[in-house]
């Protein structure tokens, strides 16, 4: 066994030299030193725990900590009593196994040994994955550090799962994992759940490291969230190592993009005319001469104004490129049932471009895009950080600002209604922009907020229960034609009928024509430098949105609106002031002088003039949960940016 000790000693000496070269301590971390000036608010006995060997990083006290390198390999000479005891433990392990659990403390999901340092050293030498130990958890006081916030998320997850070996580098990972393994937010795991997940995670982390994951500034857990966002957990558990390796290779760019500071490339305007890159000009023979384009809709044109609006864009696309674009359209596709199969079929039929007009189809888009990289797949949604699938959506906050201004001019009271569809990215910015427009002309006015995803008979979406609300905004064109939601901003008349005042129009023709033009021009591939995700988020300046006003509006009001729209289109109007106050008079300011597009997209709070709140996740139905999983606000799902 002495030869094994010498081998372990050499490993310890290598680790020692590497730490010294990096200017780090070459010895085991000492928990007592780490806890100086740390306020421990609770101690929790966990009993006998299977401790991940890689998470055992140090010793509880300073005694003997210099006998080990930072990787727990020994540093004392082979002729010492320490070496003899280590060798005897090694022999015992090979003959009958080390059965006596160590005693350890857990702090921030790392483990520090009180008794059993040599046992840990021997077991790590033999590459043990888990080590049995009696553990006491030390819980620190909450603070604003990222590590502390992630740890408190882990504590909530551990209560449900008893899983302690998955780590994340960003907030929100544990709540998202709970959802991706098909568990409700507060649902506990069974023993079978833990066994199945352990087997799956072991295979996944092996493939992650085999592909060079240790060279990325990511944990296997970070990559796992990407993988399970594309492949269903049940399917992933049934995969063979070869299948998982193949799937991981297809998703590797998706994983690597997480390491980039700007994972999403926001396209705020179509690229026009003479700015075509030189590389595109040189590669004229690689540009397509014709394209097969497919549109997939969740609903149909007869029942859905949303589909009818996209159909107008499809018709404009056909007119813009006659004899070059060949279009097919499929309707009534259930996102969680049919979408993946239909996408597979159109990809096998050699579709060049697929536009999916329901955000709920995004997950199916990801999986099929991973299998068919030559098919360009786009989804009508916002802020999805996936290079495999591009997204497109209008900057709705520009429109709602103008309609808020109009509401302030026309209302006869100090209360204006607003019906929001779902608590997804972009919606709080639209509500808050409406508030800024309203306060421009009525500084003391308030917004009464309601949600289409939370129907309530006592609080109808036409505000008929509120005589003090005579004007409201209720835009959701996915509803059938003829409902009040097709009116945008409207006034409720004394007889209960609704008079439209301003109807927002999303010009999908702008998106479809310009995106297809970018493919014909060869500019498509240049939009995603570094294989980043691309989100097309276009506004009034590009013609991607407009407002149809009531012809009976006063001429002066129309003139004011035209002026404000012109200023918006020329970027001469700042909708959001530098200092904004959220509900509770909480100050919000942009990181720089003005809010960036990303800050606006991810806005997750409401202006203090808003009466109402963001819905709680548990209030929403299953259909809305699916939408939330794709592009819902992180703070409503227990996730934080």
């Amino acid at each position: 066994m002495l030869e094994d000790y010498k081998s372990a000693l050499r490993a310890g000496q290598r680790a020692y030299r590497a730490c010294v070269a990096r200017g780090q301590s070459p010895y085991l971390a000492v928990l007592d030193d780490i806890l100086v000036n740390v306020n421990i608010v609770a101690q929790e006995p966990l009993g006998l725990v299977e401790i991940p060997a890689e998470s055992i990083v140090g010793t509880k006290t300073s005694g003997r900590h210099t006998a080990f390198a930072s990787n727990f390999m020994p540093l004392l000479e082979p002729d010492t009593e320490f070496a003899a005891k280590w060798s005897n433990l090694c022999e015992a392990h090979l003959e009958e196994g080390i059965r006596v659990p160590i005693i350890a403390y857990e702090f921030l999901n790392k483990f520090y040994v009180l008794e059993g340092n040599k046992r840990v050293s021997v077991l790590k030498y033999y590459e043990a994955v888990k080590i049995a130990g009696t553990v006491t958890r030390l819980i620190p006081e909450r603070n604003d550090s990222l590590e502390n916030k992630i740890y408190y998320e882990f504590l909530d997850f551990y209560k449900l799962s008893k899983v302690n070996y998955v780590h994340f580098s960003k907030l929100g990972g544990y709540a998202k994992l709970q959802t991706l393994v098909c568990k409700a937010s507060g649902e506990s795991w069974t023993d079978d759940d833990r066994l199945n997940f352990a087997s799956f995670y072991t295979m996944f982390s092996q493939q992650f490291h085999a592909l060079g994951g240790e060279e990325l500034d990511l944990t296997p857990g970070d990559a796992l969230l990407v993988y399970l966002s594309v492949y269903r957990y049940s399917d992933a558990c049934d995969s063979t190592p070869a299948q998982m390796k193949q799937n991981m290779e297809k998703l590797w760019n998706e994983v690597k993009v997480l390491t980039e500071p700007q994972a999403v490339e926001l396209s705020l305007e179509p690229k026009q005319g003479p700015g075509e890159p030189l590389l595109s000009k040189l590669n004229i023979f690689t540009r397509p001469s014709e394209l097969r384009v497919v549109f997939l809709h969740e609903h149909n044109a007869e029942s859905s104004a949303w589909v009818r609006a996209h159909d107008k864009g499809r018709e404009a696309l056909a007119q813009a490129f006659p004899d070059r674009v060949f279009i097919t359209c499929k309707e009534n596709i259930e996102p969680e049932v049919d979408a993946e199969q239909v996408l597979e079929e159109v990809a096998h039929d050699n579709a060049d471009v697929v536009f999916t007009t329901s955000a709920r189809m995004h997950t199916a888009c990801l999986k099929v895009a991973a299998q068919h990289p030559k098919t360009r797949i786009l989804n009508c949604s916002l802020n999805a950080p996936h290079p495999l699938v591009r997204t497109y959506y209008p900057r709705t906050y520009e429109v709602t600002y103008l309609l808020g201004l109009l509401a302030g001019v026309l209302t006869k009271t100090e209360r204006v209604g607003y019906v929001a569809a779902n608590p997804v990215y972009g919606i709080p910015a639209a509500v808050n922009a409406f508030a800024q427009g309203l306060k421009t002309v009525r500084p003391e006015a308030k917004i009464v907020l309601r949600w289409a995803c939370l129907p309530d008979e006592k609080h109808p979406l036409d505000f008929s229960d509120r005589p003090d609300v005579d004007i409201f905004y209720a835009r959701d064109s996915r509803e059938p034609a003829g409902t009040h939601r097709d009116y945008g901003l409207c006034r409720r008349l004394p007889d209960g009928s609704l008079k439209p005042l301003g109807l927002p129009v999303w010009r999908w023709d702008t998106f479809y024509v310009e995106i297809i033009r970018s493919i014909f021009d060869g500019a498509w591939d240049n939009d995603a430098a570094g294989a980043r995700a691309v989100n097309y988020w276009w506004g009034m300046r590009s013609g991607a949105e407009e407002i149809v006003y009531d012809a009976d509006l006063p001429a002066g009001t129309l003139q004011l609106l035209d002026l404000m729209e012109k200023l918006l289109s020329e970027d001469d109007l700042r909708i959001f002031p530098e200092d904004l106050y959220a509900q509770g008079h909480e100050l919000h300011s942009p990181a720089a002088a003005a809010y960036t597009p990303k800050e606006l997209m991810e806005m997750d709070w409401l202006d203090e003039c808003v009466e109402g709140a963001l819905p709680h996740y548990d209030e929403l139905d299953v259909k809305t949960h699916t939408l939330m999983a794709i592009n819902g606000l992180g703070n409503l799902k227990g996730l934080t940016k």
Side-chain angles (χ1 to χ4, degrees), residues 397 400 426-434 537 576 599-601 603 605:
Y397 69 86
T400 57
I427 292 295
V431 176
N432 292 338
F434 188 87
W537 201 32
F576 297 96
E599 287 175 317
L600 293 176
M601 186 184 295
M603 192 175 278
W605 49 270

Side-chain angles (χ1 to χ4, degrees), residues 235-250:
D235 295 340
C237 288
D238 292 336
S239 299
T240 65
Q243 290 171 330
M244 183 173 286
K245 179 176 184 293
Q246 186 179 46
N247 291 339
M248 283 286 287
E249 288 172 343
K250 293 174 181 177

Side-chain angles (χ1 to χ4, degrees), residues 319-598:
Q319 293 174 7
F321 301 102
D323 303 322
R324 297 189 69 192
V325 172
F326 302 92
I327 302 174
T328 57
C329 178
K330 297 179 182 292
E331 298 181 336
N332 299 320
I333 298 170
E334 180 60 39
E336 289 82 40
V337 178
D338 306 323
E340 185 180 324
Q341 180 62 37
V342 174
L343 280 163
E344 279 283 354
E345 290 172 359
V346 299
H348 277 298
D349 288 342
N350 299 314
D352 298 299
V353 186
V354 182
F355 291 105
T356 57
T357 62
S358 168
R360 292 172 61 215
M361 293 185 189
H362 191 273
T363 302
C365 290
L366 279 176
K367 184 168 183 180
V368 175
Q371 306 297 329
H372 302 276
K374 292 183 179 180
T375 301
R376 303 170 182 88
I377 300 179
L378 300 97
N379 181 251
C380 189
S381 58
L382 191 62
N383 197 37
H386 297 284
L388 286 171
V389 177
R390 299 190 184 188
T391 64
Y392 60 101
Y393 212 80
R395 293 202 295 272
T396 56
Y397 69 86
E398 296 180 346
V399 164
T400 57
Y401 171 80
L402 294 174
L403 292 176
L405 190 151
L406 177 58
V409 170
L410 298 180
T411 184
K412 299 174 183 177
T413 73
E414 291 295 318
R415 294 291 188 275
V416 174
Y418 192 110
V419 177
N422 295 290
V424 297
Y425 288 118
I427 292 295
V431 176
N432 292 338
F434 188 87
Q436 305 318 306
L438 176 66
K439 293 190 295 184
T440 298
V441 291
R442 286 185 179 264
E444 303 303 319
K446 302 291 185 181
I447 294 173
V448 180
L449 176 65
R450 291 178 179 174
W451 293 90
C453 59
L454 290 177
D456 181 357
E457 291 183 1
K458 295 181 180 180
H459 302 93
L461 300 183
D462 64 356
F463 296 90
S464 55
D465 63 317
R466 293 288 299 259
D468 58 336
V469 175
D470 63 327
I471 287 178
F472 61 92
Y473 174 81
R475 170 69 185 184
D476 186 350
S477 62
R478 287 167 291 185
E479 295 298 319
T483 67
H484 65 274
R485 294 186 185 87
D486 270 47
Y487 289 124
L489 188 72
C490 57
R491 183 192 297 278
R492 191 181 61 257
L493 301 178
D495 64 359
S497 62
L498 302 177
K499 178 178 176 57
L501 302 172
L503 175 66
V505 177
W506 314 134
R507 295 292 303 272
W508 302 114
D509 56 317
T510 298
F511 285 99
Y512 295 138
V513 171
E514 294 304 327
I515 289 172
I516 294 300
R517 191 190 310 279
S518 75
I519 299 173
F520 281 132
D521 290 346
W524 167 278
D525 293 324
N526 295 290
D527 284 340
R532 287 183 292 181
V534 177
N535 287 191
Y536 301 102
W537 201 32
W538 297 347
M540 283 192 156
R541 184 175 182 179
S542 67
E545 54 189 14
E546 61 185 26
I547 303 175
V548 177
Y549 294 109
D550 176 21
D552 295 333
L553 291 179
T557 300
L558 288 172
Q559 188 176 16
L560 172 63
L561 292 167
D562 287 342
L563 173 62
M564 300 300 278
E565 186 171 329
K566 181 180 180 183
L567 292 174
L568 266 179
S569 298
E570 295 175 353
D571 291 331
D572 289 332
L573 175 63
R574 182 180 295 180
I575 292 177
F576 297 96
E578 186 171 344
D579 292 334
L580 283 174
Y581 286 90
Q583 294 170 326
H585 202 61
E586 180 183 353
L587 178 64
H588 281 269
S589 299
Y595 283 92
T596 65
K598 187 175 188 295

Side-chain angles (χ1 to χ4, degrees), residues 151-206:
Y151 180 66
Y152 268 87
E153 290 185 353
F154 161 74
L155 292 180
D156 291 336
F157 176 74
Y158 184 81
K159 290 176 184 176
L160 302 173
S161 68
K162 297 298 184 288
V163 170
N164 60 4
Y165 47 84
V166 182
H167 303 271
F168 298 103
S169 63
K170 298 178 182 179
L171 290 169
Y174 290 105
K176 188 171 184 180
L177 177 60
Q178 175 81 356
T179 299
L180 289 172
V181 298
C182 305
K183 289 291 182 182
S185 57
E187 184 180 356
S188 296
W189 294 34
T190 66
D191 289 341
D192 285 344
D193 291 334
R194 281 184 280 274
L195 286 172
N196 291 336
F197 182 79
S199 176
F200 160 70
Y201 184 77
T202 298
M203 183 168 62
F204 177 85
S205 50
Q206 288 172 347

Side-chain angles (χ1 to χ4, degrees), residues 36-54:
V36 173
N37 298 323
V38 174
N39 184 20
I40 298 299
V41 296
Q43 293 192 28
E44 181 181 347
L46 301 182
L48 188 62
V49 173
E50 289 291 314
I51 307 173
E54 63 180 6

